[in-house]
Amino acid sequence: MAADAKKGNAVVETIKTVVYALLIAGIFRTVFFQPFWIPSGSMKDTLLIGDFLFVNKMAYGYSYASCPSIRPLGVDAKDICGFLDGDNTRFMGSEPDRGDVIVFRHPVSGADYVKRLIGLPGDTVQVRNGVLYLNGDAVKLEDDGAFVETYDAQGPQRLRPRCENGPVGTGGDCSKSRQIETLPGGVEHSVLNIGNQSLDNTPVYTVPAGNYFFMGDNRDNSTDSRVPQQSGGVGFVPFENLIGRADRIVFSSSGRSMLYFWTWRSDRFFKAVM
């Protein structure tokens, strides 16, 4: 009986340890940092497919979007923290800065997106001939050569990049023109160009109070605020939909799985997101 009791106690202690570990991990993810895997190329070359980063949830305070969605179980953030939804405010909230790279919840689908903050409340935003205009003024652009990557399947979704230099065979060099864009306030970052696209010329958008305008750095391969929500885009993003700021890449792999060590990009480990 004593042996059986010891075994029973050991099982109970093991279960308690697992439960405590899960609770601690859940609290850590909800309050402090959320892991995020880059699935697409909309933020190249700032973020590449297969970059793994932690999102700083403390940067802008907390809202319903701070709670994690557990997709495999069909649990949405609103199922957990829906009582915080609807007033577009945040607990311990602070305003984001123009140029921040931010993970946010799509206002309609609830999917997590990562883009760069371009337009603040009250700003007017327009793109003319591929040049960004903020409040009527063109932002500064400087040519910066080309971004070159191998034309091949990338990441778990096996996506192939789009190239400015025309059709490219597998293993060939896929290039895009790169420019350095300087936003008001001084944030500099690279943007890529693939060719003339419909989103290189947009109407003038006025960002409503309490909302933000986001764009991808890979401008010709990004679904973002340039496309209204009713047309399948992102549109304006409410303050409460912000999850957090992407500060640093901790790991990166160009392969289908992080276990494929030969696909690791060690030069991107612990790289700051600018």
Side-chain angles (χ1 to χ4, degrees):
M1 293 293 292
D4 289 342
K6 287 183 178 179
K7 285 184 179 179
N9 289 337
V11 171
V12 171
E13 289 302 316
T14 300
I15 292 174
K16 287 168 63 176
T17 300
V18 171
V19 171
Y20 291 152
L22 291 174
L23 286 173
I24 292 170
I27 292 170
F28 184 86
R29 179 176 177 179
T30 301
V31 178
F32 300 109
F33 297 97
Q34 177 176 322
F36 189 79
W37 191 279
I38 303 300
S40 72
S42 68
M43 281 295 293
K44 291 178 180 177
D45 61 345
T46 303
L47 298 173
L48 304 182
I49 295 175
D51 282 348
F52 184 78
L53 48 86
F54 280 98
V55 178
N56 181 357
K57 289 190 170 185
M58 298 176 286
Y60 312 125
Y62 303 93
S63 71
Y64 87 94
S66 302
C67 285
S69 295
I70 310 173
R71 304 289 181 190
L73 300 180
V75 178
D76 186 79
K78 287 187 177 181
D79 298 328
I80 305 171
C81 297
F83 64 94
L84 297 173
D85 183 27
D87 58 2
N88 201 26
T89 60
R90 306 181 72 88
F91 175 67
M92 298 174 62
S94 60
E95 298 288 334
D97 294 323
R98 192 194 311 276
D100 284 357
V101 176
I102 296 174
V103 175
F104 59 87
R105 285 176 58 88
H106 189 286
V108 177
S109 71
D112 293 346
Y113 277 58
V114 58
K115 306 288 179 186
R116 189 176 298 276
L117 176 56
I118 298 296
L120 303 175
D123 283 345
T124 62
V125 183
Q126 185 181 26
V127 180
R128 302 183 213 162
N129 297 318
V131 178
L132 174 65
Y133 285 74
L134 288 172
N135 300 314
D137 296 324
V139 300
K140 180 183 176 182
L141 280 176
E142 297 178 274
D143 291 337
D144 190 41
F147 169 68
V148 181
E149 59 186 332
T150 301
Y151 184 78
D152 204 349
Q154 300 176 351
Q157 299 181 32
R158 312 312 291 152
L159 301 176
R160 292 180 180 267
R162 295 175 59 200
C163 314
E164 186 181 16
N165 55 327
V168 176
T170 299
D173 286 344
C174 172
S175 68
K176 304 171 183 64
S177 299
R178 177 168 53 200
Q179 294 175 301
I180 301 299
E181 183 177 84
T182 303
L183 299 174
V187 173
E188 296 182 353
H189 62 100
S190 64
V191 294
L192 304 182
N193 179 68
I194 298 172
N196 294 323
Q197 309 283 327
S198 60
L199 293 180
D200 286 337
N201 292 279
T202 72
V204 176
Y205 297 102
T206 300
V207 185
N211 285 260
Y212 298 91
F213 192 99
F214 289 90
M215 293 174 67
D217 291 349
N218 191 2
R219 291 285 162 82
D220 294 335
N221 193 38
S222 174
T223 299
D224 50 40
S225 294
R226 290 172 292 176
V227 180
Q229 294 163 14
Q230 60 267 29
S231 300
V234 171
F236 303 120
V237 178
F239 185 37
E240 67 180 352
N241 282 51
L242 308 187
I243 295 174
R245 185 179 62 218
D247 287 338
R248 190 170 297 274
I249 300 163
V250 296
F251 176 82
S252 183
S253 171
S254 62
R256 184 177 296 179
S257 167
M258 63 168 23
L259 300 178
Y260 296 172
F261 63 87
W262 57 91
T263 66
W264 292 358
R265 307 183 186 104
S266 58
D267 60 319
R268 298 185 66 78
F269 289 10
F270 304 107
K271 181 179 180 180
V273 177
M274 306 296 290

